[in-house]
Amino acid sequence: MRERPDAVDAVYAELMRARPDEMSALLARPDTDPALLMAVLRRPVPARFLELIAGTPPWSREPRVLAAVVLNPRAPRALAQQLLPSLHWRDLADVAASPRVDGGARVRAEGLLKEQLPDLRLGERITLARLATPVVLAPMLLDPEPRVAEAALLNPRLREEDLVLAVRSAAPPRALLEAATRSPKWRESYAVRLALVLQPRTPLALALGQLSALLPRDLERVAETPGLPPLVQAAALRVAREPSG
């Protein structure tokens, strides 16, 4: 249910005039519902009110409301840290990405998300891969499910250096290597193309397809790198020695 702006304005005005004991009474009113409370919490409310919500049933048992408390820029650091384990993964992702939240709370939210990754369903991992912060996104690049890899490559927070590190890892999933060569954005990245060629697990056809874009010095490096398929090394040497122009 979406709250009317006038109702939110009225409750917020009442809250800002209220004494601490009157704040408690506001939370106990029968017409205070989660949607209304969450809308009010998007505004700069007193820290005391945030503390009351966290300690007052039924609001202290409502993960959505607690997430709104943590996301409020006036939430005390200790309170935010205390509430984070109670939040759902989607709310943790919002906390991790919010510039308005205390830095320590963002770091803790990222840590909790990383711990939860093995327990998330496929659809949840796909959604999270599209919006995760770099710290959470890095391990998600190594998810063996192709749809997760594809979603991660669409994330605007994905940094080139993180993708290169994932491609260079000891055992990157085939799904990531294939998705990187199809990505409209990342298939044009020189660093990613070079990393794909230098990765022994890259499918042969995909590795060969990157050679024509590499500089002669990097082609020589490919030809001399131990562990790469001999065909890739021979092709790199041949391309490096082709006359330019």
Side-chain angles (χ1 to χ4, degrees):
M1 175 180 175
R2 194 170 189 175
E3 290 299 323
R4 302 192 317 273
D6 55 344
V8 178
D9 289 341
V11 173
Y12 180 69
E14 181 179 350
L15 170 64
M16 298 307 289
R17 294 192 302 266
R19 300 187 305 270
D21 59 318
E22 293 171 333
M23 292 180 187
S24 298
L26 190 151
L27 289 175
R29 282 180 5 187
D31 60 337
T32 302
D33 62 22
L36 174 61
L37 192 54
M38 290 167 64
V40 171
L41 288 172
R42 296 189 187 101
R43 304 187 180 189
V45 302
R48 176 58 183 157
F49 186 60
L50 299 172
E51 293 169 344
L52 283 171
I53 293 172
T56 304
W59 313 117
S60 58
R61 298 191 294 268
E62 283 274 358
R64 294 177 303 158
V65 173
L66 296 181
V69 170
V70 176
L71 286 164
N72 190 287
R74 291 191 176 179
R77 176 179 299 182
L79 178 63
Q81 293 279 359
Q82 171 192 332
L83 297 180
L84 284 172
S86 302
L87 305 191
H88 293 317
W89 69 266
R90 184 63 176 81
D91 295 318
L92 287 171
D94 288 340
V95 171
S98 174
R100 303 190 308 161
V101 174
D102 170 74
R106 295 200 304 270
V107 170
R108 178 85 190 283
E110 289 174 328
L112 291 169
L113 271 174
K114 289 172 67 175
E115 292 175 7
Q116 293 180 19
L117 285 179
D119 300 321
L120 295 182
R121 297 190 295 269
L122 174 58
E124 294 170 336
R125 300 202 312 277
I126 293 172
T127 299
L128 180 58
R130 293 194 187 105
L131 51 87
T133 53
V135 170
V136 180
L137 190 58
M140 300 197 76
L141 290 168
L142 302 180
D143 192 301
E145 169 57 49
R147 284 174 288 179
V148 176
E150 291 166 1
L153 293 179
L154 293 173
N155 188 321
R157 295 188 178 96
L158 177 59
R159 302 175 300 202
E160 182 181 68
E161 58 265 34
D162 292 332
L163 178 54
V164 169
L165 282 175
V167 171
R168 288 178 177 173
S169 63
R174 185 184 179 104
L176 173 66
L177 304 176
E178 293 179 342
T181 62
R182 295 194 304 269
S183 168
K185 176 180 180 180
W186 297 111
R187 69 187 179 195
E188 301 301 327
S189 163
Y190 188 89
V192 172
R193 300 184 81 158
L194 177 58
L196 285 166
V197 177
L198 291 171
Q199 171 54 254
R201 295 171 65 93
T202 298
L204 185 60
L206 299 183
L208 292 172
Q210 312 305 314
L211 294 177
S212 61
L214 300 187
L215 297 172
R217 67 173 183 271
D218 289 322
L219 290 167
E220 297 282 357
R221 177 182 171 190
V222 170
E224 297 171 1
T225 298
L228 294 181
L231 183 56
V232 171
Q233 292 179 307
L237 197 58
R238 184 174 64 254
V239 174
R241 293 175 178 176
E242 287 178 351
S244 59

